[in-house]
Amino acid sequence: MEFSTGEDLTRLSFRDWTGERALATIGTNAGSVALPFQDWRRFKEAFAPELVEMAVSETPGRVERIVDPFGGSGTTALAAQFLGINPTTIEVNPYLADLIEAKISRIDLEAAALAFARVVERAGNSVAPPQNPFPDAPRTFVEPGVDNRYIFSKAVAARLVAYRDAIMAEANEGIRRLFRVVLASAAVPVSNVTISGKGRRYRSNWQSRRVSPAAVDSWFRDGVLQALYDLRRFADRSCQEYTLLRGDARQLVNDLPQHQLAVFSPPYPNSFDYTDVYNVELWALGYLSSRGANTALRNATLRSHVQIHRDMTADDLAAKTLGETVRKLESVSERLWNRHIPSMVAAYASDMAVVIRGIGRAMPRGGRAYIVVGDSRYAEVDVPVAAILAELAPGLGFEPLRVEPFRSMRVSPQQGGRPQLSESLLVLGRR
């Protein structure tokens, strides 16, 4: 692989990246043409970067720094760089944090090309790993699994570990991070499962599907080529700076630098543990090495689910809609699949209040927060998240400016599966 370094490029803008693509809605990338960087791993539910552009254009005064307390795929941070704005991003998931930093940081592309050759050679010369290369992962991770159900065959698992170890032998941190992220993008395609916003499930044909270890070679090679191409093509973004904070957003919002704008989408209170979406990558690439580490990561996320036992103590928040919603849920408690759902909804609102208040502390008057949120429903009781947060806003230093529905999401199959839940953009102005 060769990369020219002598070309004199002007700074690339947001439009150089996005072009003039058509969007069904700026609230999601679903149905839109994938942009460079975004196809390193597909995030169907992520909002479109055009939302960041719109937020900048609507915010009074000059926007010099943008904050995203739930970094996810890095949409806000990357869009900010193309818009010439310094981004600050918080991300608790170590795999996603690496993915974001791999996209927005600069690396020596010539060195990366040479490192790629070394990694491939090391992986090819590696000895066979132990019988179970992921001893602390869930028992279903590697063949034979449990009741002969497993995510990876022994041969594919061995190939992933060979590449993982070869990557970690590289001295350059940025190159290690990039290659690790690329290898992570191969983990699900070579597995027996598929991942959606609702979790992990086995492929319909997984027992007859035969994946060769060579598929890992192909995915890794193609992924590295695509990533290096994107990094080379868009190396000269309008802004080269960034700040990435790794950890619990509820704590790290207290460490934010001054900013004029926040654009983000938090986890939705839908009783789904979002850590599970990335569980395959987290274990396969060594981001998780023990069950204790997995529990710690899940506890560091918003209290948006009841998949693990957690303290659901919530602050006493002055929001009429929140109180009414919690009381309605309590009144149908015998119909709820988990008795902790009412307290979870209250805890979620409490966590979001902490994050929004923290964002406001470092934001001058006139600054704005653009928040993409989704409603939930339990036992036919609606949880109107946008309305609840809008009511909380004045007590957190913000004025609700508008609530703009993006689209309708489907309720669970148990409730009919119809598109009845609103996903909305909540816009707040710093008072």
Side-chain angles (χ1 to χ4, degrees):
M1 286 179 282
E2 296 183 357
F3 297 91
S4 171
T5 57
E7 187 177 358
D8 182 19
L9 296 177
T10 58
R11 291 296 187 189
L12 295 172
S13 69
F14 184 84
R15 200 56 60 201
D16 292 317
W17 177 40
T18 60
E20 299 293 341
R21 66 174 188 163
L23 288 172
T25 169
I26 59 175
T28 175
N29 276 315
S32 301
V33 176
L35 299 177
F37 298 101
Q38 289 188 315
D39 54 2
W40 290 12
R41 186 193 193 279
R42 292 302 301 272
F43 290 81
K44 179 181 177 182
E45 304 302 328
F47 57 78
E50 284 83 353
L51 173 61
V52 182
E53 182 187 37
M54 183 186 78
V56 170
S57 69
E58 293 181 354
T59 300
R62 181 180 178 184
V63 177
E64 297 180 341
R65 186 180 292 271
I66 296 177
V67 161
D68 182 350
F70 303 99
S73 64
T75 298
T76 297
L78 195 57
Q81 287 189 325
F82 278 108
L83 290 165
I85 300 169
N86 196 332
T88 296
T89 302
I90 300 174
E91 179 50 56
V92 65
N93 186 309
Y95 159 57
L96 294 181
D98 270 5
L99 178 64
I100 294 168
E101 192 157 15
K103 292 178 179 180
I104 63 178
S105 61
R106 296 179 67 90
I107 67 168
D108 184 332
L109 298 178
E110 295 291 350
L114 294 174
F116 171 74
R118 291 194 298 269
V119 167
V120 171
E121 182 178 7
R122 285 195 207 101
N125 294 334
S126 66
V127 297
Q131 183 72 8
N132 184 358
F134 307 104
D136 296 309
R139 291 174 58 201
T140 56
F141 213 66
V142 179
E143 183 183 12
V146 176
D147 296 329
N148 206 34
R149 294 173 69 85
Y150 51 87
I151 295 176
F152 293 112
S153 69
K154 290 180 182 178
V156 168
R159 199 69 179 139
L160 285 170
V161 170
Y163 272 104
R164 184 190 69 190
D165 293 347
I167 289 168
M168 299 313 290
E170 284 297 314
N172 185 288
E173 181 182 9
I175 292 174
R176 285 200 311 270
R177 181 189 304 117
L178 174 64
F179 287 178
R180 199 178 185 190
V181 164
V182 170
L183 183 61
S185 70
V188 172
V190 300
S191 77
N192 294 328
V193 298
T194 59
I195 310 294
S196 70
K198 300 300 181 184
R200 182 174 66 239
R201 70 178 187 275
Y202 281 90
R203 301 176 191 273
S204 59
N205 64 336
W206 76 270
Q207 290 172 310
S208 61
R209 182 174 180 259
R210 295 290 180 263
V211 180
S212 166
V216 179
D217 302 337
S218 297
W219 275 97
F220 182 66
R221 180 193 66 241
D222 294 347
V224 169
L225 288 172
Q226 182 62 56
L228 294 182
Y229 176 77
D230 288 347
L231 290 169
R232 174 67 188 97
R233 180 183 174 195
F234 297 101
D236 291 305
R237 280 161 257 172
S238 297
C239 174
Q240 305 290 323
E241 304 300 320
Y242 71 92
T243 299
L244 178 63
L245 305 176
R246 296 167 181 256
D248 190 334
R250 296 167 297 183
Q251 299 173 7
L252 293 178
V253 287
N254 297 315
D255 301 328
L256 293 175
Q258 187 178 57
H259 54 277
Q260 298 76 35
L261 176 62
V263 183
F264 61 96
S265 181
Y268 299 168
N270 54 12
S271 281
F272 179 72
D273 182 357
Y274 285 88
T275 303
D276 282 348
V277 174
Y278 312 104
N279 203 259
V280 173
E281 292 96 337
L282 287 167
W283 284 106
L285 276 299
Y287 290 105
L288 292 177
S289 57
S290 70
R291 295 182 182 181
N294 190 29
T295 300
L297 175 58
R298 296 170 86 177
N299 277 315
T301 62
L302 285 194
R303 292 177 290 178
S304 62
H305 58 86
V306 290
Q307 307 308 99
I308 59 172
H309 179 70
R310 304 174 72 177
D311 178 6
M312 293 296 184
T313 303
D315 295 334
D316 186 14
L317 301 173
K320 179 181 178 182
T321 303
L322 174 62
E324 291 176 348
T325 301
V326 172
R327 285 191 292 273
K328 287 179 182 178
L329 290 170
E330 290 172 340
S331 71
V332 296
S333 58
E334 72 282 354
R335 296 168 52 197
L336 298 174
W337 64 271
N338 187 293
R339 64 185 178 88
H340 298 294
I341 287 174
S343 58
M344 179 271 288
V345 170
Y348 175 84
S350 184
D351 285 353
M352 284 299 299
V354 168
V355 172
I356 294 172
R357 184 183 291 112
I359 287 171
R361 288 196 189 101
M363 181 182 287
R365 182 176 298 179
R368 291 193 176 187
Y370 286 67
I371 312 172
V372 177
V373 295
D375 295 346
S376 296
R377 176 178 293 176
Y378 300 99
E380 299 182 1
V381 175
D382 290 332
V383 181
V385 176
I388 290 171
L389 296 182
E391 284 190 17
L392 289 174
L396 307 174
F398 285 90
E399 173 188 3
L401 300 180
R402 74 177 187 268
V403 175
E404 179 181 330
F406 277 140
R407 60 172 181 153
S408 293
M409 302 179 296
R410 294 186 182 276
V411 298
S412 67
Q414 295 86 345
Q415 300 186 60
R418 295 182 300 276
Q420 296 176 329
L421 297 176
S422 291
E423 188 173 44
S424 304
L425 172 64
L426 171 63
V427 182
L428 305 178
R430 185 72 170 94
R431 300 195 301 178

